[in-house]
Amino acid sequence: MKCPKCSNEMKEGQLICEACGHEIRIVPDFEPEIENSITETLSTLAALQDEDKPDADNHKDTENIEKEKDSEKKRADKSRKMGTRIGIIVSAVLILFLFVYMFYTYHVGSVSYQVDKAKEYAAQGEYEKAINCLDIAYKKDDTQPQILFLKADYYYLLFDNESALLELKKIIDNGSYPYEAVEEAYDKMVAIYSKEERYEDINELLLNCKEDTIVNMFQSYLAKAPEFSYTEGNYEEVIPLKLSSNTSGTIYYTSDGSIPDEKSRIYTAPLFLESGDYTISAVFVNDYGIKSEVVSKSYHIDIEIPNEPEVNLNSGEYNEPMRISVSAENGCDIFYTTDGTEPTKDSVPYTGPIPMPLGTTHFKFVNISEEGVASEVTMRTYVLKLEGTISTDEAVEVLIDCLVETGYLEDKNGNIPQQNVTYSYQFSSVISIDGEVYFTVNEYYDDGTGILSRTDKVFIVQAYTKEVAKLGYGENGEFKALLL
């Protein structure tokens, strides 16, 4: 590098010329335009002086001019150094200000700052300002569901439930928030809907929920369509169709294809579908009055109906005891009633010949197949009248007196010697044994609980002579009178 003043070759890294002592400036001159102007002015003055003065004075004037130049240059160098220092200071201040500004901007714009500020505003009751802070925070970071929970809470405190629900719905619909956050969002939404008695909205919310565990938490609010125990189609047997619901409430149904409502029949027990075509429609209404969708299923039942039972005795009036025998179709059981109701599989089963009761009795018999198909009902009415017999009440009194006399009973109240039980007796039926008419009387005991239990003993009293015996059976199952 050469010296800009004297053109002396300088070593690398030197800042002062060894030949002329000129200092090499690293930074630009301070206000170079002014310096150039001053230099040009001095040069012009020097030229004018050289023209006016004699040559003898030229050397002295030249020295003065050189001194003035050196002085001026020193002042310029000093000013330049001062400007450099000021520039450095100003730059440092600007950098510091920029750093402080950037730090402040980053801090104020951070998520944590905005959330903390929102909580401060909320503590002062300024929920709208709090929500504004949370909006800023959520725009910067939408991965924190807690921001939305705070917004929902503040909207709720502002009595703006719809906005609160929207914020909670964002948590549910996000798809990336943890399960715990989603569950809490559902819980808060259900609480708001429930408070406003918006049960239909709860039902819709849960129907669209894909988390079974969450749905089960709020099962009582949900109204799902009734479930059928059999799929629709063709069957060759009677089907006991069951309808079920997901929670407590009422199922209404129709069997003629019409749309069920709260005025339709209430489902309480399985529907037995026998031969024929059925269209069962059902709707469920839960305890909150939420109604489910209507579901309908069609069934075609094609099964063989058994024949009605055959009875050995025709209806009529009888003057002597008779036994009523009924024959069943193969694979069927016989059931009967005597109170006028229709017989079903829950009625009294027929197990053998039935002694004809005294007075007037209306029998109804039915065959029911193994598949549960019922036949037509066979009806018989019998009137049994016996002349000159004792009454049934008298027959019971005669039996008790006899049992006391034989020591079987301690007294007429039915007490048993050395036992803490009481026996009682009730008339049962009229039978014929070897051509004689007997009243049958069943025995019951009470162990002190007030509940009567029947024993295996059956006594008989001769309807005309009042003779007492025990009822027995012969080898062929015929009735026999046994001595006490």
Side-chain angles (χ1 to χ4, degrees):
M1 180 176 67
K2 293 182 178 181
C3 176
K5 183 175 181 181
C6 65
S7 300
N8 179 50
E9 190 70 32
M10 297 177 62
K11 295 180 181 180
E12 184 177 357
Q14 285 184 331
L15 299 179
I16 301 175
C17 179
E18 294 178 349
C20 66
H22 179 72
E23 182 180 1
I24 305 303
R25 293 172 295 178
I26 298 176
V27 297
D29 292 340
F30 180 69
E31 296 181 354
E33 295 83 358
I34 298 174
E35 181 181 4
N36 291 336
S37 178
I38 294 173
T39 302
E40 292 175 359
T41 302
L42 292 176
S43 298
T44 303
L45 292 174
L48 293 174
Q49 288 177 352
D50 288 341
E51 293 177 357
D52 295 338
K53 291 184 179 181
D55 292 336
D57 296 330
N58 286 344
H59 180 70
K60 183 177 181 180
D61 292 337
T62 301
E63 289 180 357
N64 291 333
I65 291 171
E66 289 297 328
K67 289 181 180 181
E68 289 179 1
K69 284 184 178 181
D70 290 340
S71 177
E72 189 66 32
K73 190 177 293 184
K74 289 179 180 180
R75 286 196 297 271
D77 289 342
K78 185 176 181 180
S79 297
R80 188 165 49 251
K81 291 179 181 179
M82 180 63 69
T84 301
R85 293 191 186 98
I86 293 173
I88 293 173
I89 294 173
V90 171
S91 297
V93 171
L94 288 174
I95 292 172
L96 179 62
F97 174 79
L98 181 60
F99 175 77
V100 172
Y101 175 77
M102 290 176 64
F103 177 79
Y104 175 79
T105 302
Y106 173 79
H107 176 65
V108 171
S110 68
V111 173
S112 59
Y113 175 84
Q114 293 297 335
V115 172
D116 291 340
K117 197 66 178 177
K119 292 179 179 179
E120 291 180 12
Y121 281 132
Q124 300 168 7
E126 299 184 47
Y127 301 115
E128 292 180 351
K129 292 183 178 179
I131 291 171
N132 290 335
C133 291
L134 294 174
D135 283 336
I136 297 173
Y138 192 71
K139 287 179 181 178
K140 290 181 173 293
D141 184 3
D142 60 359
T143 65
Q144 299 187 35
Q146 192 59 34
I147 297 175
L148 297 177
F149 277 123
L150 287 174
K151 286 183 67 178
D153 290 342
Y154 298 157
Y155 275 125
Y156 184 79
L157 293 172
L158 288 171
F159 303 100
D160 187 357
N161 289 349
E162 288 304 320
S163 295
L165 290 168
L166 288 175
E167 298 302 324
L168 295 170
K169 193 68 166 59
K170 290 179 183 178
I171 298 174
I172 293 173
D173 295 339
N174 181 272
S176 61
Y177 291 148
Y179 171 83
E180 293 75 13
V182 176
E183 179 182 313
E184 184 180 354
Y186 271 103
D187 187 51
K188 287 180 177 290
M189 289 190 72
V190 170
I192 293 174
Y193 281 138
S194 179
K195 184 177 181 181
E196 297 181 350
E197 298 184 356
R198 295 166 59 179
Y199 303 118
E200 291 290 348
D201 290 325
I202 297 177
N203 184 59
E204 182 179 356
L205 177 69
L206 297 177
L207 287 175
N208 294 324
C209 179
K210 297 180 181 179
E211 294 287 347
D212 292 338
T213 52
I214 294 177
V215 173
N216 292 334
M217 290 173 56
F218 308 103
Q219 192 73 236
S220 60
Y221 292 103
L222 192 61
K224 290 185 177 180
E227 295 184 358
F228 287 52
S229 60
Y230 286 83
T231 58
E232 60 182 351
N234 299 326
Y235 292 86
E236 295 182 352
E237 60 182 352
V238 173
I239 61 173
L241 180 63
K242 297 179 181 179
L243 307 180
S244 59
S245 59
N246 64 293
T247 186
S248 60
T250 305
I251 296 177
Y252 300 91
Y253 75 96
T254 61
S255 57
D256 57 1
S258 60
I259 303 300
D261 55 26
E262 287 85 347
K263 297 180 181 179
S264 302
R265 286 177 289 181
I266 297 176
Y267 173 82
T268 57
L271 308 177
F272 288 91
L273 306 184
E274 300 179 357
S275 288
D277 294 311
Y278 303 86
T279 298
I280 308 299
S281 301
V283 65
F284 172 65
V285 180
N286 70 11
D287 291 339
Y288 295 96
I290 304 172
K291 185 183 298 184
S292 75
E293 295 180 354
V294 175
V295 59
S296 298
K297 294 186 182 296
S298 297
Y299 301 90
H300 175 73
I301 314 298
D302 185 14
I303 54 178
E304 185 178 352
I305 299 176
N307 296 322
E308 62 186 51
E310 295 182 0
V311 184
N312 67 327
L313 298 177
N314 293 326
S315 297
E317 186 175 311
Y318 292 82
N319 295 318
E320 60 178 303
M322 303 295 292
R323 299 182 71 185
I324 305 167
S325 298
V326 187
S327 59
E329 190 172 332
N330 289 337
C332 293
D333 293 318
I334 301 174
F335 298 88
Y336 71 94
T337 62
T338 58
D339 59 1
T341 60
E342 295 300 310
T344 66
K345 65 177 183 178
D346 296 323
S347 302
V348 180
Y350 174 84
T351 57
I354 305 169
M356 185 179 292
L358 276 175
T360 301
T361 308
H362 302 283
F363 281 91
K364 288 185 177 182
F365 301 94
V366 67
N367 274 327
I368 297 182
S369 67
E370 295 177 352
E371 296 79 18
V373 181
S375 69
E376 295 292 329
V377 174
T378 299
M379 294 184 291
R380 293 289 187 271
T381 299
Y382 302 107
V383 180
L384 176 58
K385 293 183 178 181
L386 299 176
E387 299 293 338
T389 64
I390 62 176
S391 67
T392 56
D393 290 340
E394 187 178 355
V396 172
E397 292 178 3
V398 169
L399 172 63
I400 292 175
D401 289 341
C402 180
L403 294 177
V404 171
E405 289 177 3
T406 59
Y408 181 80
L409 295 178
E410 188 174 46
D411 52 43
K412 291 185 177 182
N413 292 326
N415 295 313
I416 300 296
Q418 299 179 352
Q419 294 187 34
N420 189 27
V421 295
T422 302
Y423 283 82
S424 60
Y425 302 87
Q426 296 179 12
F427 166 77
S428 177
S429 62
V430 181
I431 61 175
S432 177
I433 303 176
D434 297 331
E436 295 189 20
V437 178
Y438 290 89
F439 293 140
T440 63
V441 180
N442 294 330
E443 180 182 65
Y444 299 85
Y445 76 92
D446 179 359
D447 60 0
T449 63
I451 299 175
L452 296 180
S453 301
R454 182 177 170 177
T455 70
D456 59 354
K457 293 179 180 178
V458 179
F459 296 95
I460 54 176
V461 179
Q462 218 282 349
Y464 296 98
T465 64
K466 302 182 183 180
E467 294 178 4
V468 177
K470 286 178 60 178
L471 179 65
Y473 299 92
E475 294 181 357
N476 298 321
E478 73 274 10
F479 291 137
K480 292 184 65 176
L482 304 177
L483 296 176
L484 292 177

